[in-house]
């Protein structure tokens, strides 16, 4: 008998009664959780119901649809930056929808899971997962889950006891999804692997598109000299951290693997190549040194493991001399390309990369060309060069136009094949176009460079053409371009170009220039973070999951606390209480409480609020800024002087547009209203905030804080140490002690070892899993990572996947 769910089929039989009851219970609890989400959502029940309905429709569409939806949508669906709800978010509702739909299916459809030949959870992974669960259970305070119903102020910020539950849920969600992972992989092993890869690529695409939008809307797509660092849709970066970096580290090796593997489906390679290009841009614009190293290490490991698979399968023959020669060629090319970039900039580098691509495609033509044909081609190219010089001198930016024309001719000659003896008939024209392209590439670089310095470009163009001369006289070194070899060539060329840009762009190179100084400061912070557990019990179990920032507040020196906030209810009234920084901080460092408002506001803006300073007179900043999350791009700012005392003072003022600029039109530039306590070390309390634009529109919600923290978000733009240990393993030790550190270390090591060297090493998906985990651990050297629940869900799903993966038989290795 066959049972169908959506478009998938799986074997049917009888499931144990206890298992079906358990699934029914999980589904019922998930539905109850969705009810709480709908009831409590700041945008109201109608919006929340529509969102949950969309989630359920996507998940129910196919048997293993959740493997696409969870990694695909979790990184982009959260609206905490708008709603202010940081503890129970849209990604939580997505996972609850998965548990509700799939739990209902498992409880009502009697299915038998096949014995796992490709995937099976053995005793050791099970013990490690249980040990990890034990650490989270004993190191997390669970009573705030009950107390929050009587004290909603627990929902404000990271310094409340409820923050432990928020952080722990990342692992708990992954653990609850583990049985579904088992069911999917045993029912449809190959289909589930494809679904997981599709989900990872979808998530990476959406994250990268969000990064592209952010750069385009704020600093500019090609502005790499500012210190603006991309955050995409990860609101968890509001107080720093590396949520985006961690996600890119885990996911980018998957798209690299997808680009390099054999796949005959139409449009597959162009689509995944586009995703890889977008991901590379997102990675670069984080300007995170650890991510650069992590991607290089993880991507290199992915390629190495794929190469090992190909060699063992006999697809590739490994010859050390050839490999050494290719490596030397790549190194020399990279060194020369750096010189081109330093003189000719992006235009010169792109022109030379276009020439390199033409050389790769043209090599077979040159290898079979006669000396007479090459001589004619040189004469034609020399005549065409005069046209290039004339266009550079007499036509504005004509050198770029003539380069584009020449490149188009190369493509036409190579790909418009009309006759059986195509190479023989057009080889003269093809080689002439190639030589002309080389001359134009040198002109493009020299035209842009100061003092028309075209020497580096000429040297690199000569190096590439000399390589063709070598092929002409030794045809055994030549190759025939193909889709796969072209993809490898493009990836290598893109990787070299990224390295050149990274080490020669102002801000990126400056980041590496301060590495030693930053490392010294980071070591001091690591030492301080590791010292937070004082008692023996704390050293064994930690200070508590999610309690790093609260313990840091009480134990660190005064000078490194940027401020904080909470919502206070007193005599039936609620108001915002903001603590000032302890020690001097720049305006960009101080702690802000913000609300996102309409980008299309019309100035002037009329602001009114009540404030008091019970511990002494002090300034209060109010501002409206074009801002995504951390870095302002044009603000109108005022400073209010709040008198000392327990009496409320009313302030009314007008804000102009000043440096606010436009709202961005079709590409919206998000806009926020913020308040910040600049009263050093003292409290300021705020209530009854209203902001009205010139059209009479009310721009703020919950200005009296009667709905507690709804719609109010918080951030510290540049000072982030109080919230993060800035090291994955030290953070586990600080919050979960030796038990948590041991559990996490063993779980991570076994998962990585299995896919890199162990029983799963020959599985087709082992290379990107190993590469992603390796890159993640490298990034984890300089950041905590798993204090972001969304990222923790993704990480632990991949870890569980790796822990149960097994190498299939040789004939079954293509998923």
């Amino acid at each position: 008998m066959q049972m169908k769910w959506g478009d998938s089929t799986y074997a049917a039989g009888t499931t144990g009664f206890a298992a079906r009851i358990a699934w029914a219970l999980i589904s019922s609890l998930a539905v109850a959780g969705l009810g709480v989400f709908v009831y409590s959502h700041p945008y109201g029940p109608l919006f929340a119901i529509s969102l949950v309905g969309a989630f359920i429709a996507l998940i129910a569409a196919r048997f293993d649809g959740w493997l696409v939806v969870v990694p695909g949508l979790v990184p982009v669906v959260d609206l905490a930056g708008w709603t202010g709800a940081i503890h129970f978010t849209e990604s939580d509702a997505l996972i609850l929808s998965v548990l509700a739909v799939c739990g209902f299916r498992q409880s009502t459809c009697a299915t038998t899971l096949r014995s796992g030949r490709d995937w099976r959870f053995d005793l050791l992974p099970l013990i490690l997962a249980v040990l990890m669960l034990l650490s989270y259970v004993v190191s997390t305070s669970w009573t705030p889950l009950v107390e929050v119903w009587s004290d909603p102020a627990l929902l404000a910020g990271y310094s409340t006891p409820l923050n432990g539950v928020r952080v722990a849920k990342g692992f708990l969600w992954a653990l609850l999804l583990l049985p579904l992972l088992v069911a999917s992989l045993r029912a449809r092993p190959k289909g589930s692997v494809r679904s997981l890869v599709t989900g990872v690529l979808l998530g990476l695409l959406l994250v990268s598109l969000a990064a592209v939008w952010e750069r385009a809307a704020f600093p500019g797509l090609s502005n790499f000299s500012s210190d603006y660092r991309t955050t995409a849709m990860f609101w968890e970066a509001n107080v720093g951290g590396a949520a985006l970096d961690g996600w890119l580290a885990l996911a980018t090796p998957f798209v690299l693997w997808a680009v390099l593997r054999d796949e005959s489906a139409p449009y597959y390679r162009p689509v995944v190549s586009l995703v890889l290009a977008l991901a590379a841009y997102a990675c670069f614009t984080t300007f995170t040194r650890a991510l650069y190293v992590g991607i290089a290490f993880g991507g290199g490991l992915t390629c190495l493991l794929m190469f090992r698979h190909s060699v063992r399968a006999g697809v590739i023959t490994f010859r050390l001399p050839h490999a050494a020669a290719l490596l030397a060629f790549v190194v020399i090319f990279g060194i020369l390309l750096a010189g081109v970039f330093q003189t000719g900039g992006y235009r010169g580098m792109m022109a030379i990369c276009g020439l390199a691509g033409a050389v790769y495609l043209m090599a077979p033509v040159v290898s079979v060309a006669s000396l007479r044909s090459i001589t004619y081609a040189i004469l034609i190219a020399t005549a065409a060069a005069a046209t290039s010089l004339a266009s550079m001198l007499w036509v504005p930016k004509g050198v770029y136009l003539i380069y584009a024309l020449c490149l188009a001719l190369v493509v036409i000659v190579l790909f418009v094949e009309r006759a059986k003896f195509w190479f023989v008939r057009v080889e003269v024209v093809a080689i002439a176009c190639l030589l002309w392209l080389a001359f134009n590439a040198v002109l493009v670089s020299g035209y842009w460079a100061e003092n028309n310095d075209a020497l580096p470009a000429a040297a690199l163009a000569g190096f590439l053409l000399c390589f063709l001369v070598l092929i002409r006289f030794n045809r055994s070194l030549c190759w025939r371009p193909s889709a796969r070899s072209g993809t490898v060539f493009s990836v290598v060329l893109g990787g070299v170009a990224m390295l050149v840009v990274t080490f020669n762009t102002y801000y990126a190179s400056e980041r590496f220039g301060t590495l030693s100084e930053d490392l010294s400061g980071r070591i001091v912070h690591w030492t301080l973070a590791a010292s937070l557990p004082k008692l023996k019990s704390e050293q064994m179990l930690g200070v508590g999951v999610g309690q790093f920032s609260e313990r840091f507040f009480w134990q660190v020196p005064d000078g490194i606390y940027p401020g904080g906030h909470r919502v206070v209810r007193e005599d039936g009234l609620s108001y915002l209480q903001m603590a000032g920084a302890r020690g001097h901080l720049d305006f960009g460092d101080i702690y802000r409480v913000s609300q996102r408002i309409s980008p299309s506001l019309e100035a002037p803006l009329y602001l009114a609020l009540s404030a008091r300073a019970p511990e002494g007179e002090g300034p209060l900043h109010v501002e409206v800024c074009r801002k995504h999350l951390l870095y302002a791009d044009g603000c109108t700012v005022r400073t209010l002087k709040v008198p000392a005392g327990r009496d409320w003072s009313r302030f009314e003022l007008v804000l102009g547009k000043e440096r606010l600029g436009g709202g961005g039109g079709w590409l919206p530039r998000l806009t926020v209203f913020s308040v910040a306590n600049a009263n050093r070390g003292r409290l300021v309390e705020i209530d009854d905030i209203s902001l009205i634009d010139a059209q009479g529109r009310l721009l703020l919600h919950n200005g009296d804080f009667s709905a507690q923290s709804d719609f109010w978000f918080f951030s510290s733009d540049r000072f982030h140490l109080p919230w993060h240990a800035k090291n994955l393993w030290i953070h586990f030790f600080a919050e979960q002690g030796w038990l948590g550190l041991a559990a996490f270390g063993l779980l991570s090591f076994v998962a990585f070892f299995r896919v890199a060297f162990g029983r799963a090493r020959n599985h087709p998906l082992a290379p990107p899993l190993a590469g992603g985990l390796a890159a993640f651990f490298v990034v984890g050297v300089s950041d905590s990572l798993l204090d972001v629940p969304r990222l923790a869900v993704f990480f632990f799903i991949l870890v569980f996947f790796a822990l149960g993966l097994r190498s299939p038989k040789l004939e079954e290795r293509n998923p």
Side-chain angles (χ1 to χ4, degrees), residues 257-539:
W257 169 83
V259 166
L260 295 177
R261 68 190 291 265
D262 286 326
E263 177 59 59
S264 58
Y267 308 115
Y268 170 84
R269 203 174 298 277
V271 170
V272 295
S273 297
L274 175 62
V275 176
L276 178 61
L278 291 171
Y281 179 85
C283 290
F284 176 70
T285 56
T286 64
F287 296 110
T288 304
R289 293 160 297 197
L291 179 61
Y292 291 168
V293 177
I295 290 296
F297 186 70
L301 180 61
T302 300
C303 294
L304 183 62
L305 294 179
M306 291 183 72
F307 182 76
R308 183 182 68 181
H309 288 186
S310 298
V311 169
R312 290 182 175 179
V315 177
I316 296 177
T317 302
F318 177 72
R319 295 176 180 172
L320 184 59
H322 288 179
L326 287 175
L327 179 61
F329 172 79
V330 170
V331 171
I332 295 172
F333 177 82
I335 294 172
L336 295 176
L337 188 63
V340 173
F341 182 74
Q342 290 169 358
T343 55
Y346 289 101
R347 296 176 181 84
M349 184 181 71
M350 291 174 65
I352 288 295
C353 287
L355 173 63
V359 167
Y360 162 77
L361 294 172
M362 199 74 73
V365 179
V366 175
S367 68
V368 298
S370 65
L371 292 178
R372 176 180 293 181
S373 296
I374 293 175
T375 302
Y376 288 150
I378 292 173
L379 294 175
I380 295 173
T382 302
T387 305
S388 299
L389 290 172
S391 67
M392 183 178 69
L393 295 174
W394 297 333
V395 179
K397 296 187 178 181
V399 65
Y400 302 135
L401 296 176
I402 205 71
Y403 177 88
L405 173 63
C406 184
L407 187 62
L409 287 176
V410 171
V411 173
I412 291 171
V413 169
L414 283 174
F415 292 102
V416 182
E417 183 175 349
R418 298 295 183 187
K420 181 177 180 181
F421 301 104
W422 175 79
F423 279 129
V424 175
R425 296 187 179 187
V426 299
E427 64 181 19
V428 173
V429 177
I431 297 173
C433 286
L434 175 65
L435 297 174
W436 189 26
L437 184 69
F439 182 76
N440 288 329
V442 175
L443 287 186
V444 167
S445 181
Y447 181 81
W448 191 89
E450 295 183 6
N451 302 321
N452 295 327
D453 185 5
L455 184 59
L460 184 48
F463 173 71
L464 292 172
L465 295 180
C466 286
F467 192 69
L468 288 181
V469 172
L470 180 63
I471 290 175
R472 170 62 183 79
F473 291 101
N474 189 352
R475 295 175 181 174
S476 64
L477 298 177
C478 193
W479 60 87
R480 188 168 187 84
S482 65
R484 186 173 189 182
S485 65
T487 301
V488 173
F489 171 82
S490 300
V491 169
V492 173
L493 181 63
V496 172
M498 285 295 294
L499 284 174
V500 167
V501 171
T502 298
F503 288 100
N504 291 276
T505 301
Y506 171 73
Y507 184 60
S509 60
E510 183 184 62
R511 292 278 294 158
F512 281 96
T514 60
L515 181 60
S516 177
E517 178 183 348
D518 292 345
L519 181 59
S520 299
R522 192 59 56 87
I523 290 174
V524 172
H525 182 67
W526 290 340
T527 304
L528 182 59
S531 70
L532 294 184
K534 298 295 185 183
L535 305 175
K536 289 185 177 180
S537 60
E538 290 180 343
Q539 292 182 358

